[in-house]
């Protein structure tokens, strides 16, 4: 019997996890991974940490490609897939190391092409020759990070930067540049920061925190033009700057799928087997996939989809049920966690904002169950709230209010998380596995908790040193 030829397009976070899961499950086909970036796969969440200088480049590499058995996995870097020929079941590609175009047959194809940044409507971003203005940067890949790092320079205190976009990505970059010493400003078109995740009180607390940490914030105004004088805003102000970083806007990378005639809405439309609804030999996972009208854009669902698909390709039957979104902001000095969609989910809202200490907590509760939550500035209760959210625990009438109160020493001394509760959504690590580790180093090296978005770090610290951990 001939072995199944599985071709994966993209070598990002979803693809790497897929390969690891296939190997762990003893998948008996042959896997070829075609990634257009020249570098081995890396943790995109930590790009801002590389820019900031807290993580060396090689510390963010993912997986261990050197250990792949070539009989089972062929990893080809610098290799871009241009077309999919569904009739012949072939992909056409260009390999940076070989001249001309090449065709490669598949029995099954996985699209893990991620997402691409989109240019906001600001005049002057692109020059007459079609190139980006030299001051303008995207921040999606390690190559973008290297370019921005070089532009920030070795004497960054003399440089100024404007980050366009006050979403999760924009705040990560803005914090990294500020920590590097650049005078950094954020421009956000909506009325407050993180407007997709937070309401006005949470967004305001965050803006206050950011200013306190040295980053200026302008909300409710849009950048309209880049000139020699700087970035012109629609309120008439001009921000003088050496660098402009674009973080507003991105969309699933679906051009290949579209040209191949697959159904694409915002992402490649897939069923519960993560197969295209047009062609069941082609799957899509990660940022480029759309299931039940939802594209995700976060690592935990991308990794969950990779695990489900690996199971299915290895003979399993468990299909993909929608992921719960858990978003954490990984930025030095800023703490935000968002479960579900607290601004758009129906239910009773229990909320507490304390501008004096810079904290905001919002729970949306339906029939006693937490159906969404947002926490800004103080994540000490995030583990417990996530546990209730994940399990659908029915709470008594006073419990939501109690969860909003500041944590007491008694809470810290005896964290109420059960062993099987998932603490790190990025790496799928439970409280029990953390408790079994001797310290943070062991947690990092054996479970990979805290090395993804980093949002689980406060809970991990509590679990390791319940009596003494700082909140
Ligand atoms: C700076 C930054 C910070 C982030 N922070 C967070 C965070 O804190 N928390 C969180 O959950 N998520 C975060 N995200 C989002 C997260 O990184 C993505 O959800 C995740 O990477 C999705 O994995 P993926 O494999 O679908 O896509 P990617 O990791 O983007 O990988 C896709 C790969 O496919 C390649 N590719 C595309 N087309 C082709 C082609 N035709 N041929 C060959 N290769 C191709 C791309 O170059 C890329 O290498 C962040 C993203 C960025 C950019």
């Amino acid at each position: 019997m001939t072995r199944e030829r599985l071709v994966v397009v993209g070598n990002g976070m979803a693809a790497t996890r897929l390969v690891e899961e296939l190997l762990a499950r003893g998948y008996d086909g042959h896997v070829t991974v075609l990634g257009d970036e020249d570098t081995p796969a890396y943790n995109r969440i930590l790009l801002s940490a590389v820019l900031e200088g807290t993580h060396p480049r090689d510390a963010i590499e993912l997986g261990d490609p050197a250990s792949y058995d070539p009989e089972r996995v062929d990893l080809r870097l610098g290799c871009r897939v241009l077309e999919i020929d569904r009739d012949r079941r072939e992909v056409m590609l260009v390999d940076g190391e070989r001249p001309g175009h090449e065709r490669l047959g598949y029995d099954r194809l996985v699209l893990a092409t991620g997402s691409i940044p989109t240019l906001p409507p600001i005049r002057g971003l692109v020059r007459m020759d079609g190139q980006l203005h030299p001051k303008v940067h995207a921040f999606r890949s390690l190559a973008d990070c290297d370019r921005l790092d070089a532009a920030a320079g070795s004497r960054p205190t003399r440089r100024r930067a404007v980050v366009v976009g006050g979403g999760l990505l924009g705040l990560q970059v803005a914090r990294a540049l500020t920590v590097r010493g650049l005078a950094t400003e954020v421009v956000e078109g909506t009325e407050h920061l993180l407007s997709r995740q937070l309401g006005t009180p949470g967004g305001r607390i965050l803006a206050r925190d950011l200013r306190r940490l040295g980053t200026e914030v302008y909300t409710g105004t849009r950048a309209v033009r880049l000139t020699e004088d700087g970035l012109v805003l629609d309120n008439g102000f001009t921000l003088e700057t050496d660098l402009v970083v674009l973080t507003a806007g991105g969309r699933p990378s679906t051009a290949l799928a579209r040209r191949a005639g697959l159904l694409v809405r915002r992402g490649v439309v897939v069923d519960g087997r993560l197969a295209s609804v047009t062609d069941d030999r082609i799957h899509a996972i990660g940022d480029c996939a759309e299931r039940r009208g939802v594209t995700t854009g976060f690592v935990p669902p991308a990794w969950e989809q990779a695990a489900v698909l690996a199971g299915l390709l290895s003979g399993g039957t468990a299909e993909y049920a929608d992921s719960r979104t858990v978003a954490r902001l990984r930025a030095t000095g800023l703490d935000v966690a968002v479960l579900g969609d607290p601004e758009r989910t129906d239910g009773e809202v229990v909320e507490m904002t304390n501008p004096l200490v810079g904290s905001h907590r919002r729970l949306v509760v339906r029939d006693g169950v937490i159906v969404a939550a947002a926490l800004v500035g103080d994540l000490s209760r995030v583990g417990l709230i996530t546990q209730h959210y994940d399990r659908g625990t029915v709470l008594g009438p006073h419990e939501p209010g109690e969860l909003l109160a500041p944590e007491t020493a008694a809470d810290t001394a005896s964290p109420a998380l059960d062993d099987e509760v998932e603490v790190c959504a990025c790496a799928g690590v439970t409280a029990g596995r953390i408790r079994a580790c001797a310290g943070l180093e062991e947690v990092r090296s054996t479970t990979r908790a805290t090395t993804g978005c980093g949002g689980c770090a406060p809970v991990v610290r509590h679990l390791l040193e319940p009596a003494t951990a700082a909140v």
Side-chain angles (χ1 to χ4, degrees):
M1 213 178 81
T2 54
R3 290 165 74 198
E4 179 172 78
R5 293 167 305 165
L6 178 70
V7 172
V8 183
V9 187
N11 181 40
M13 299 195 68
T16 313
R17 181 48 72 98
L18 175 69
V19 172
E20 283 181 2
E21 294 277 350
L22 286 168
L23 293 176
R25 287 171 159 82
Y27 171 68
D28 57 8
H30 182 270
V31 187
T32 304
V33 182
L34 306 168
D36 62 359
E37 295 186 62
D38 295 323
T39 44
Y42 52 87
N43 187 340
R44 242 171 252 285
I45 295 178
L46 294 176
L47 282 179
S48 56
V50 173
L51 180 66
E52 192 173 311
T54 50
H55 280 56
R57 253 169 144 263
D58 53 9
I60 69 166
E61 275 183 23
L62 282 178
D64 182 13
S67 69
Y68 293 165
D69 173 356
E71 287 295 310
R72 300 178 73 192
V73 182
D74 182 13
L75 170 61
R76 293 175 60 177
L77 304 178
C79 216
R80 180 160 188 79
V81 175
L82 302 175
E83 297 296 340
I84 303 167
D85 183 337
R86 285 168 50 210
D87 295 330
R88 293 180 166 200
R89 289 200 200 128
E90 287 178 345
V91 290
M92 197 206 283
L93 55 105
V94 278
D95 185 330
E97 300 206 338
R98 302 172 211 192
H101 291 170
E102 188 186 331
R103 298 183 84 95
L104 184 71
Y106 65 82
D107 300 309
R108 210 168 270 285
L109 186 68
V110 179
L111 300 176
T113 49
S115 48
I116 46 174
T118 47
L119 280 186
I122 301 173
R123 273 167 46 205
L125 290 183
V126 181
R127 293 187 314 197
M128 298 292 274
D129 60 6
Q131 299 291 315
L132 276 184
H133 188 288
K135 283 185 179 175
V136 176
H137 295 258
F139 196 71
R140 170 92 218 151
S141 65
L142 200 47
D144 293 337
C145 182
D146 286 343
R147 198 170 151 258
L148 184 54
D149 181 51
S154 52
R155 302 175 73 186
T157 42
R158 299 181 170 200
R159 316 267 301 157
R160 292 154 305 176
V162 177
V163 175
V164 178
L168 285 167
L169 179 51
L171 300 191
Q172 285 180 9
V173 178
R175 276 301 292 142
L177 291 172
T178 308
V179 173
R180 283 275 297 263
L182 281 88
T184 306
E185 298 170 304
V186 176
V187 178
E188 165 57 42
T190 65
E191 288 305 316
H192 60 84
L193 297 175
L194 286 195
S195 57
R196 279 209 215 157
Q197 287 85 12
L198 300 177
T200 309
R204 287 206 178 132
I205 293 276
L206 201 53
R208 221 188 66 148
D209 279 354
L210 215 53
R211 290 193 182 105
R212 183 178 47 80
L213 293 165
T215 309
E216 193 44 75
V217 178
Y218 307 98
T219 55
T221 179
R222 288 175 194 281
V224 287
R225 201 155 22 101
L226 179 62
T227 67
E228 288 313 308
D229 296 332
L231 193 64
V232 183
L233 307 185
D234 64 0
N235 61 9
F237 282 97
T238 297
L239 305 177
E240 288 178 26
T241 188
D242 302 300
L243 302 172
V244 176
V245 189
L246 304 177
T247 66
R251 61 180 165 78
S253 171
T254 54
L256 261 186
R258 221 180 263 280
R259 285 201 300 275
L262 303 180
L263 180 64
V264 175
R265 289 199 188 103
R266 186 168 156 76
V268 183
V269 180
V270 294
D271 60 19
R273 295 178 59 81
L274 296 161
S276 154
V277 293
T278 318
D279 182 340
D280 66 2
R281 286 187 174 266
I282 304 184
H283 299 265
I285 56 173
D287 283 5
C288 71
E290 176 178 325
R291 169 80 181 129
R292 292 202 181 115
V294 176
T295 51
T296 58
F298 291 105
V299 171
W303 281 359
E304 200 179 326
Q305 291 170 0
V308 169
L309 182 58
L312 288 164
L313 296 179
S314 310
T317 53
E319 299 201 349
Y320 176 67
D322 310 331
S323 307
R324 303 244 206 175
T325 31
V326 178
R328 300 268 176 89
L329 178 63
R330 201 224 69 81
T332 307
L334 292 180
D335 289 318
V336 180
V338 182
L339 313 180
D341 187 350
E343 289 306 307
R344 280 158 282 266
T345 303
D346 290 336
E348 309 281 1
V349 174
V350 188
E351 198 170 39
M352 198 222 42
T353 305
N354 183 347
L356 300 179
V357 295
S359 84
H360 167 76
R361 292 172 175 182
R362 175 186 177 93
L363 301 182
V364 184
V365 182
R366 205 186 305 139
D367 300 328
V369 174
I370 297 175
V371 286
L375 307 172
V376 180
D378 175 2
L379 300 192
S380 56
R381 297 274 181 145
V382 69
L384 197 53
I385 291 173
T386 309
Q387 172 171 311
H388 292 317
Y389 170 74
D390 281 344
R391 292 183 170 180
T393 315
V394 180
L395 303 175
H398 297 293
E399 281 180 275
E402 284 161 14
L403 284 169
L404 300 189
E407 197 175 48
T408 63
D411 295 329
T412 312
S414 55
L417 297 188
D418 295 340
D419 274 353
E420 71 275 14
V421 167
E422 189 173 85
V423 169
C424 170
C426 295
V429 184
T430 60
R433 283 184 67 200
I434 304 284
R435 285 195 180 101
C437 292
L440 191 57
E441 269 319 302
E442 190 180 333
V443 168
R444 295 171 75 90
S445 60
T446 61
T447 72
R448 292 190 295 184
T450 75
T451 64
C453 73
C456 62
V459 182
V460 168
R461 281 201 299 273
H462 278 216
L463 291 168
L464 290 173
E465 298 176 66
T468 55
V471 174

